[in-house]
Amino acid sequence: MIQFQYERASTAKAAISSLAGSSQAKFIAGGTNLIDLMKRQVEAPARLVDINAVPLKDIQRKDGKTSIGALALNSQVADSKLIIDNHPLLSQALNAGASAQIRNMATVGGNMMQRTRCPYFYDTALPCNKREPGSGCGALKGLNRMHAIFGTSEQCIAVHPSDMCIALVALDATVVVAGPKGERRIPFEEFHRLPGTQPEKDNTLQSNELIMSVEIPDYAFNKHAYYMKIRDRASYAFALVSVAAALDMDGKVIREARLAMGGVAHKPWRLKEAEKALAGKPATEETFRQAAELAMQGAKAFKYNAFKLKLGPNVIVEALKNAAGLV
Ligand SMILES: Cc1cc2nc3c(=O)[nH]c(=O)nc-3n(C[C@H](O)[C@H](O)[C@H](O)COP(=O)(O)OP(=O)(O)OC[C@H]3O[C@@H](n4cnc5c(N)ncnc54)[C@H](O)[C@@H]3O)c2cc1C
Ligand code: SF4
């Protein structure tokens, strides 16, 4: 049995100072990922700091942006009228994730921090550089059907599992975090990282920082947004490939586009070249197909995930067709 201490913090300041000085302490929010990892002995924090009493649940609009507290529940955000009206892409992405029961426990901050679902990472009998740096990567030559096709390294080819984060990167969100030295803001695209030579690091949050909120700027993509997720089962499964697509349309012409993919990289994968290629073009299947081909440049498959090279562009096209109202 793993021994650990448990304490509750009721303010952000108390939570941050509870973590200071201990590399073995961790925040716990909904517990839907951390408890699983502890049960499997993938993670063994010596101290858990429960942050559920910290007042970070509000969803509000202020100064031309929407602010979502880090402890807002995934279901609360998905069902919020404010989010459905202003950021439907986010609501759709959240509803595509997990099950209703898990969405009722899972928080926004926890969702961003959830760890990869690579099976080698969860099995402590198998090598995994993310779990145990230097031990090797079981997936590289093993069962890598779920794994990445962009931004991989010799050390790790895992994918980031969140649906919510794919919408947030497409929406140019900013993460507000606080630590012992005060607050800082991280563009969503820079929050998660590629594996490189340090796959054990999933993101750029410091170990003593607390995620306070996520902010989404106002934008003109509300009417034409679509999140498409392809998975092995209709529900309760992680994405093989997902696409968040949002268009700002002037009649049938695309003024601007936002595109991101999930299930393909160690981080939410923004498709900026494809976005540029869509701007100013008519919303047709041909335009979408060209953008999708551009988006897939540089993709590299492994033994069991070559299907993602074909599936990826098809999902991009379908998501864009849905966003544009062509379906
Ligand atoms: C069966 C199953 C299916 C799932 N399917 C999907 C899916 O399809 N799509 C999807 O996106 N997700 C899916 N999930 C994942 C689920 O959404 C995450 O487990 C959940 O969002 C994590 O949130 P939590 O609040 O429970 O985090 P916790 O488990 O409490 O914490 C996770 C990590 O986040 C850290 N943390 C939490 N809050 C903060 C904060 N404010 N600041 C800093 N660090 C923090 C913790 O220290 C911990 O390291 C699934 C989970 C399960 C169990
Ligand atoms: S892909 Fe990454 S998480 Fe999976 S076994 Fe390799 S190092 Fe571990």
Side-chain angles (χ1 to χ4, degrees):
M1 188 191 282
I2 306 173
Q3 300 282 335
F4 63 89
Q5 289 178 331
Y6 171 85
E7 64 186 73
R8 290 193 182 104
S10 54
T11 64
K13 202 172 165 196
I16 292 161
S17 59
S18 279
L19 233 62
S22 169
S23 58
Q24 297 301 311
K26 287 210 104 173
F27 296 130
I28 181 157
T32 60
N33 191 215
L34 185 53
I35 298 293
D36 272 0
L37 292 165
M38 288 171 70
K39 281 193 214 156
R40 292 175 188 232
Q41 307 202 8
V42 175
E43 294 200 29
R47 191 147 53 90
L48 287 185
V49 180
D50 186 334
I51 54 175
N52 283 288
V54 180
L56 291 175
K57 278 203 167 172
D58 282 358
I59 306 171
Q60 47 185 307
R61 276 169 66 74
K62 55 179 183 190
D63 307 330
K65 55 195 170 206
T66 302
S67 169
I68 305 170
L71 284 161
L73 302 176
N74 284 185
S75 53
Q76 178 195 349
V77 181
D79 298 343
S80 154
K81 184 165 176 351
L82 195 155
I83 298 297
I84 294 169
D85 289 351
N86 295 285
H87 308 292
L89 186 66
L90 177 58
S91 175
Q92 290 175 34
L94 278 163
N95 276 327
S99 63
Q101 291 88 340
I102 290 169
R103 292 195 295 273
N104 280 336
M105 285 299 288
T107 64
V108 165
N111 192 292
M112 289 165 57
M113 297 291 286
Q114 67 172 297
R115 307 213 67 192
T116 185
R117 293 285 158 169
C118 172
Y120 298 88
F121 175 71
Y122 279 81
D123 189 337
T124 53
L126 298 172
C128 169
N129 288 324
K130 186 180 275 298
R131 177 171 30 78
E132 195 183 330
S135 62
C137 170
L140 208 53
K141 294 202 171 132
L143 294 174
N144 45 36
R145 180 172 174 271
M146 295 295 288
H147 290 70
I149 52 172
F150 290 112
T152 53
S153 76
E154 281 296 307
Q155 303 266 314
C156 178
I157 59 171
V159 294
H160 175 74
S162 164
D163 291 293
M164 178 193 82
C165 294
I166 310 307
L168 286 174
V169 80
L171 297 177
D172 280 327
T174 298
V175 188
V176 182
V177 309
K181 292 182 186 156
E183 273 193 7
R184 70 183 178 110
R185 303 163 71 78
I186 311 171
F188 206 85
E189 218 176 332
E190 291 167 23
F191 185 82
H192 296 98
R193 49 185 303 286
L194 291 178
T197 54
Q198 287 186 297
E200 69 277 14
K201 292 190 177 176
D202 295 338
N203 53 59
T204 54
L205 192 76
Q206 302 296 315
S207 59
N208 54 5
E209 286 179 320
L210 175 72
I211 302 169
M212 303 287 284
S213 62
V214 173
E215 290 178 352
I216 309 171
D218 276 355
Y219 64 98
F221 303 104
N222 306 9
K223 287 197 196 121
H224 300 285
Y226 199 77
Y227 185 75
M228 179 168 265
K229 176 175 179 180
I230 306 298
R231 49 191 154 181
D232 284 331
R233 291 189 306 271
S235 70
Y236 209 42
F238 290 89
L240 289 166
V241 169
S242 68
V243 171
L247 300 170
D248 175 14
M249 306 276 291
D250 180 5
K252 292 191 172 156
V253 175
I254 302 160
R255 272 199 210 99
E256 246 190 291
R258 292 285 187 277
L259 265 185
M261 270 176 115
V264 293
H266 198 258
K267 60 186 283 186
W269 195 248
R270 179 90 178 256
L271 306 174
K272 284 203 173 150
E273 290 305 313
E275 288 176 3
K276 275 189 226 154
L278 289 166
K281 301 266 174 57
T284 62
E285 182 156 352
E286 197 191 338
T287 306
F288 298 155
R289 184 62 60 187
Q290 283 166 1
E293 275 169 28
L294 208 56
M296 296 304 292
Q297 280 180 6
K300 176 191 152 210
F302 294 85
K303 187 169 179 187
Y304 295 106
N305 70 353
F307 70 94
K308 290 191 182 186
L309 299 178
K310 281 192 178 170
L311 182 62
N314 287 339
V315 185
I316 293 174
V317 172
E318 288 307 310
L320 284 166
K321 277 166 65 181
N322 277 280
L326 300 188
V327 173

